[in-house]
Amino acid sequence: MATVLYITAHPHDHQTSFSMAVGKQFIESYRDAHPRDEVITLDLYKQDIPHIDADVFSGWGKLRSGSSFDQLSASEKSKTGRLNEIVEQYVAADKYVYVSPMWNFSFPPILKAYIDAICIAGKTFKYTESGPVGLLTDKKAIHIQASGGVYSEGPAASFESGHSYLKKIMQFHGVSSLEGIFVEGMAATPDQAESIKDKAIAKAKEAAKSF
């Protein structure tokens, strides 16, 4: 049995969002194909994800210097403790499904906050004399991304900074591959929006079977 984190980064649901609509079909198909697996849904807009700020840095610094967790201030305890919960949950999972829209060539800031929370030395990667090494070499990941224009290929591909950034993070963590399912071009060709979504859903359902 595998544990899957279904990580969504959109304030709207599947009835309004193209990425969420495709994500919903993917995870439903995944559950049908892998009924024994546990799927944990993380709606990042409903999660407590502390930003890495002065409290976090000071708390981490005190812990590295030998202070006990009980010696931290209340805000340091709250934030560093929550960040530890997030990364421990992430490390314990076997597969990751990311669902996000493209906003201004990247993804919503809530997803960046989550990525910051899981990029923890000693948990998802480690430093060595030859450089950082990822620790999640036995994991799998897939990313469903929607955008109004076409950015996965063609003349605007160089502007794409969402999936490409997430791919770098996965590689940094040791995840060997990140499959992308792109729902794109709906704003550029609104008359084809439903057809684009349907094709992406069909691809997502097929990908879910072997994920």
Side-chain angles (χ1 to χ4, degrees):
M1 187 179 85
T3 299
V4 182
L5 291 187
Y6 178 62
I7 305 161
T8 66
H10 202 298
H12 292 153
D13 63 17
H14 66 280
Q15 295 179 315
T16 306
S17 160
F18 284 99
S19 59
M20 293 292 283
V22 176
K24 180 176 183 291
Q25 293 297 320
F26 175 91
I27 207 64
E28 288 180 355
S29 296
Y30 182 88
R31 284 191 172 104
D32 289 341
H34 310 274
R36 296 184 60 199
D37 289 1
E38 178 186 16
V39 176
I40 300 172
T41 298
L42 295 180
D43 179 348
L44 297 187
Y45 278 89
K46 296 179 181 178
Q47 297 289 312
D48 171 23
I49 306 174
H51 287 203
I52 298 178
D53 59 11
D55 289 328
V56 172
F57 278 126
S58 64
W60 282 345
K62 290 176 183 178
L63 293 172
R64 283 195 297 268
S65 298
S67 296
S68 69
F69 185 76
D70 291 338
Q71 291 176 296
L72 304 187
S73 70
S75 57
E76 290 168 347
K77 286 180 183 177
S78 175
K79 294 174 183 179
T80 60
R82 176 58 184 149
L83 287 171
N84 188 64
E85 290 174 355
I86 292 171
V87 73
E88 290 290 354
Q89 180 187 54
Y90 193 82
V91 170
D94 303 293
K95 303 176 184 180
Y96 312 112
V97 181
Y98 287 90
V99 180
S100 66
M102 177 189 284
W103 287 359
N104 301 315
F105 308 123
S106 185
F107 39 64
I110 193 68
L111 180 51
K112 178 58 167 64
Y114 183 77
I115 290 170
D116 286 344
I118 60 174
C119 288
I120 305 295
K123 300 289 187 178
T124 52
F125 72 98
K126 66 179 180 180
Y127 291 109
T128 72
E129 292 182 355
S130 57
V133 175
L135 300 176
L136 306 183
T137 55
D138 58 342
K139 315 293 185 180
K140 298 177 66 175
I142 195 166
H143 180 210
I144 298 169
Q145 176 176 276
S147 59
V150 176
Y151 295 93
S152 67
E153 59 183 10
S158 63
F159 288 91
E160 199 286 315
S161 302
H163 179 75
S164 57
Y165 178 80
L166 188 58
K167 185 175 182 178
K168 290 182 178 70
I169 293 297
M170 293 297 101
Q171 291 173 339
F172 183 61
H173 291 169
V175 180
S176 59
S177 65
L178 173 69
E179 182 178 354
I181 296 177
F182 302 102
V183 197
E184 53 186 357
M186 292 78 68
T189 55
D191 58 315
Q192 300 177 34
E194 288 303 312
S195 174
I196 292 170
K197 182 178 73 172
D198 290 344
K199 289 179 181 177
I201 286 174
K203 182 176 180 180
K205 286 182 174 180
E206 190 63 29
K209 296 176 183 177
S210 58
F211 182 64

